[in-house]
Amino acid sequence: MQNYTAPVDDMMFQLAAFGYEAVAKLEPFEAYDFETARMFLEQTGTLASDVLLPSNRAGDTEGTQWDPETGAVTVAGGYEAGHKALAENGYYGLTADPEHGGSGAPITLGTLSKEMLMSGNKSLSMCPGLTNGLIEALEAFGSDAQKEMYLPKLASGEWTGTMCLTEAHSGTDLGLLSTKAEVHGDHYKLSGQKIWITWGEHELSDNIIHLVLARLPDAPAGIKGISTFIVPKFLPDGSRNAIACAGLEHKMGIHGSPTCVMALEGAEGWLVGEPHKGMRTMFIMMNAARLFTGLEGVSLGEIAYQAALGFAKERRQSRAMAMGKREEGKAADTILVHPDVRRMLLDVKSTTEALRGLSLFISANIDLSTHHPDEATRQEADDLVALMIPIMKAFGTERGFKNVSDSMQVCGGMGYTVDGEIEQYLRDLRIAMIYEGTNHIQALDLVGRKLGLSNGRLYQVFGKRVRGVIEAAKGNEATAGFGETLGKRLDALDAVTMSLGKRAGEDPEAMGASASTYLTAFGLVVCGFSLLTQANHAVTAKTDNQRAKLGVTRHFFDRVLPEIEGHFAILAADHTSITRFADEDF
Ligand SMILES: Cc1cc2nc3c(=O)[nH]c(=O)nc-3n(C[C@H](O)[C@H](O)[C@H](O)COP(=O)(O)OP(=O)(O)OC[C@H]3O[C@@H](n4cnc5c(N)ncnc54)[C@H](O)[C@@H]3O)c2cc1C
């Protein structure tokens, strides 16, 4: 039986540590003070554990079914109740504009709710997750008429959303896509085939609104010739549109989530934003999805940790190494006494809490960047979000996957068998390193785009923030040492960043060979920043969890952060072992 206890106390602590006070003071969020936030988080935690989690295993074992006659897709028993509860409790439109039926909650609370809902049932939660992204894209680029027609129904969960980018020959390289859009009166007709479309077809909602990338007849080649269209399953007059599911993928995990081949055969569509500028619209949805995907590492890392900890407290094997820790009258001690089991649990706990902090740091800055009255504050927040999104997506999923794997290791054979809880989480999480732009594409975005933007301003803004936290740590004996260590790692990252920029200028392959390693090193510094922010808050506010927070921070600084030295050594090495290795010798 899968179990989940929502980490509401840590979330509340982290809200305070990452400046939620400033978010709650913003005019649109005045109703969402700390007290309301706690009530909301508790309610979401209960929904995740009592409504979503019970159907999580059924989603895995029953999977999804496609009817070749009608193209209809059915999902697991229990999902309907889950979807209904999500819709009725406002999760589809949680952060959407109240003008169009949303609840207008800050993204910060939206992010925490997503973490819990995904812990409960990742496959099902992807449906509101994608719908939230579509709402954001339409709020930014939809016409007034489109907003009026689509947003209220999406916000209520009566209709759900998808993003349709991928085609068989066009995955990472969207410039290759060939779905066509032709003028049809005041709108368009689209023809082509999309693959791997998450929640592309199902019967849970009355309508499905697809956001589809396609090319107009006069489109220039490549990425600059892509436009974005709304293609509804049912047309405004209630008739069926010519978009249908032509099959389902069978896959390693997320069996509960339908992954659809979608055939468009003259499907009617409406242009969103300007012609050929479709990537601007889609980027809004993709950015939301990248934060959401990074969060999958936190969600499944958390629930896997809970399962591993529960097991470690019960399972008795061997005697404790230290005589004083041996329990009298027992043939064996619980495995929680073994240093290696504790090492794994602490690796998982410290990085999960660090990444939860990163997700909050990004989300609070999204709220500030969209609603703060001061332009300079908005710009700085926007810079931080842009720089951190690829790190959250790639490092969050890479570390999250390791965390679920380590949690499985804690449980031994029981972790690997389907009687345990963790093997499903491991399978469900693996895709997160691939979709929403593979992790390497995130690394290229970080190194090739974000570092160079505005003459390196984004990196400088982040560096200033980290040094501020180090400065704050100086005043206290409990945190000063962490600050010193982080300062040294940041100095080293500064040097590596400079040298990578120089080498990439001389030889572009140097960047390709180093970007993923660089992102991992950067991710470790970011986690150090996150945990030091939390440790500072625990000490200054004298919070109840002070001992535990200082304990996980110490573990991270002593035994996880030093991994960075290995990454720095790789970054210092010549990349030609990769680029000059003869193709025929592979
Ligand atoms: C379960 C599932 C759900 C999905 N949901 C959706 C969805 O809802 N909507 C949607 O549109 N798509 C969806 N996708 C597609 C997903 O986004 C793509 O799989 C992803 O973008 C990668 O594309 P690809 O699989 O074609 O890999 P490829 O592009 O073929 O890449 C293969 C490998 O080559 C590497 N590579 C490619 N280009 C470069 C480069 N320039 N430099 C270095 N390395 C490179 C990649 O990093 C990767 O390791 C889903 C996929 C799956 C499996």
Side-chain angles (χ1 to χ4, degrees):
M1 236 267 289
Q2 298 182 332
N3 286 303
Y4 173 64
T5 306
V8 173
D9 286 339
D10 191 53
M11 289 178 170
M12 288 304 297
F13 165 83
Q14 293 215 27
L15 278 175
F18 287 97
Y20 181 67
E21 208 174 333
V23 173
K25 273 193 193 139
L26 297 171
E27 199 236 310
F29 306 136
E30 278 165 357
Y32 292 94
D33 58 10
F34 275 92
E35 205 179 315
T36 311
R38 178 174 276 280
M39 270 161 42
F40 165 74
L41 295 179
E42 279 169 356
Q43 173 201 309
T44 309
T46 306
L47 182 74
S49 61
D50 295 4
V51 183
L52 299 196
L53 188 64
S55 61
N56 192 41
R57 185 59 103 182
D60 189 52
T61 52
E62 291 172 26
T64 52
Q65 269 77 42
W66 174 66
D67 181 342
E69 296 288 310
T70 61
V73 170
T74 42
V75 295
Y79 273 32
E80 197 172 346
H83 161 73
K84 209 163 158 250
L86 288 167
E88 281 171 0
N89 288 288
Y91 288 93
Y92 278 90
L94 181 68
T95 53
D97 190 342
E99 200 187 325
H100 296 112
S103 302
I107 297 285
T108 314
L109 293 187
T111 294
L112 290 176
S113 76
K114 284 185 173 123
E115 185 203 309
M116 291 186 272
L117 299 177
M118 277 195 290
S119 290
N121 190 326
K122 169 162 139 57
S123 286
L124 178 55
S125 306
M126 289 164 77
C127 190
L130 282 159
T131 308
N132 297 160
L134 174 60
I135 290 173
E136 280 182 41
L138 292 181
E139 281 179 346
F141 286 104
S143 66
D144 288 347
Q146 288 169 344
K147 287 181 189 169
E148 223 162 278
M149 176 176 293
Y150 295 106
L151 291 177
K153 298 275 192 194
L154 290 168
S156 68
E158 285 165 88
W159 297 357
T160 59
T162 76
M163 55 195 283
C164 299
L165 293 74
T166 307
E167 298 176 9
H169 58 285
S170 168
T172 299
D173 189 354
L174 291 171
L176 298 175
L177 69 82
S178 61
T179 295
K180 283 197 194 82
E182 279 166 341
V183 178
H184 175 69
D186 67 348
H187 57 288
Y188 298 85
K189 279 200 168 189
L190 280 77
S191 305
Q193 193 182 66
K194 297 287 176 180
I195 64 166
W196 299 336
I197 304 308
T198 301
W199 285 95
E201 179 57 48
H202 59 90
E203 307 273 291
L204 296 183
S205 59
D206 296 343
N207 202 355
I208 302 173
I209 310 304
H210 305 278
L211 198 64
V212 181
L213 291 184
R215 284 184 186 289
L216 289 164
D218 59 340
I223 201 87
K224 292 199 171 130
I226 295 175
S227 306
T228 302
F229 300 85
I230 291 173
V231 179
K233 174 178 169 183
F234 291 106
L235 292 165
D237 67 5
S239 62
R240 186 68 207 249
N241 200 1
I243 179 167
C245 177
L248 289 176
E249 300 296 345
H250 301 281
K251 52 200 191 292
M252 174 182 179
I254 51 169
H255 293 161
S257 156
T259 305
C260 307
V261 177
M262 298 302 297
L264 296 98
E265 294 170 349
E268 294 186 44
W270 284 262
L271 184 69
V272 182
E274 291 174 53
H276 316 315
K277 301 246 167 90
M279 288 312 292
R280 280 171 55 192
T281 312
M282 199 50 97
F283 257 117
I284 302 247
M285 196 163 178
M286 282 158 73
N287 251 340
R290 285 174 180 182
L291 169 57
F292 182 57
T293 305
L295 209 53
E296 292 177 9
V298 183
S299 298
L300 297 194
E302 172 66 39
I303 192 165
Y305 169 77
Q306 291 187 16
L309 179 63
F311 184 85
K313 284 178 174 172
E314 297 282 323
R315 176 74 171 161
R316 288 179 182 275
Q317 289 292 292
S318 319
R319 300 254 63 185
M321 283 177 172
M323 297 295 280
K325 289 190 176 167
R326 293 184 178 179
E327 213 177 314
E328 272 181 42
K330 301 282 184 194
D333 292 297
T334 66
I335 59 168
L336 188 61
V337 299
H338 301 313
D340 193 59
V341 170
R342 301 170 76 83
R343 171 189 67 80
M344 290 188 280
L345 288 170
L346 280 164
D347 281 1
V348 177
K349 183 173 167 62
S350 61
T351 49
T352 300
E353 290 180 14
L355 286 165
R356 176 175 298 128
L358 175 59
S359 76
L360 277 179
F361 178 69
I362 294 173
S363 304
N365 277 297
I366 293 176
D367 287 325
L368 294 172
S369 74
T370 42
H371 294 289
H372 199 280
D374 174 51
E375 198 190 328
T377 307
R378 286 202 304 274
Q379 183 62 61
E380 191 170 313
D382 198 48
D383 285 352
L384 290 166
V385 173
L387 189 69
M388 291 295 116
I389 287 269
I391 295 173
M392 182 75 218
K393 195 287 178 176
F395 190 78
T397 56
E398 183 183 296
R399 201 78 206 190
F401 188 73
K402 181 180 186 308
N403 285 347
V404 178
S405 178
D406 282 354
S407 301
M408 177 181 277
Q409 192 72 15
V410 167
C411 299
M414 184 53 92
Y416 188 74
T417 65
V418 293
D419 297 333
E421 304 169 37
I422 297 177
E423 63 86 33
Q424 183 190 346
Y425 306 142
L426 196 72
R427 286 185 289 105
D428 283 355
L429 187 54
R430 183 60 184 86
I431 182 60
M433 289 189 256
I434 297 172
Y435 60 21
E436 298 316 333
T438 62
N439 280 5
H440 178 66
I441 295 306
Q442 306 304 316
L444 289 182
D445 177 45
L446 175 68
V447 180
R449 234 184 109 240
K450 302 289 172 62
L451 288 181
L453 277 182
S454 310
N455 292 323
R457 188 184 69 210
L458 281 58
Y459 184 84
Q460 286 158 22
V461 167
F462 175 72
K464 213 173 86 198
R465 234 8 123 79
V466 180
R467 294 200 192 279
V469 170
I470 294 169
E471 196 56 37
K474 271 188 188 157
N476 198 294
E477 209 186 315
T479 49
F482 302 141
E484 253 171 60
T485 306
L486 187 59
K488 285 186 195 138
R489 303 299 189 203
L490 182 63
D491 289 344
L493 186 71
D494 287 351
V496 167
T497 306
M498 291 288 285
S499 118
L500 186 60
K502 194 163 160 281
R503 280 162 65 194
E506 289 158 5
D507 176 357
E509 283 195 318
M511 180 178 82
S514 305
S516 291
T517 309
Y518 175 82
L519 184 144
T520 305
F522 204 152
L524 286 164
V525 168
V526 169
C527 283
F529 159 71
S530 171
L531 283 174
L532 185 56
T533 304
Q534 296 177 46
N536 281 348
H537 177 68
V539 168
T540 48
K542 297 190 174 52
T543 55
D544 293 346
N545 62 355
Q546 194 181 134
R547 188 182 66 196
K549 267 302 161 193
L550 290 172
V552 289
T553 307
R554 172 149 180 242
H555 178 78
F556 180 85
F557 274 80
D558 283 0
R559 305 195 64 107
V560 182
L561 187 56
E563 287 172 19
I564 204 167
E565 291 304 329
H567 300 300
F568 285 152
I570 294 169
L571 289 166
D574 185 357
H575 66 275
T576 52
S577 74
I578 298 172
T579 52
R580 304 245 175 100
F581 190 81
D583 287 0
E584 52 277 20
D585 291 341
F586 270 104

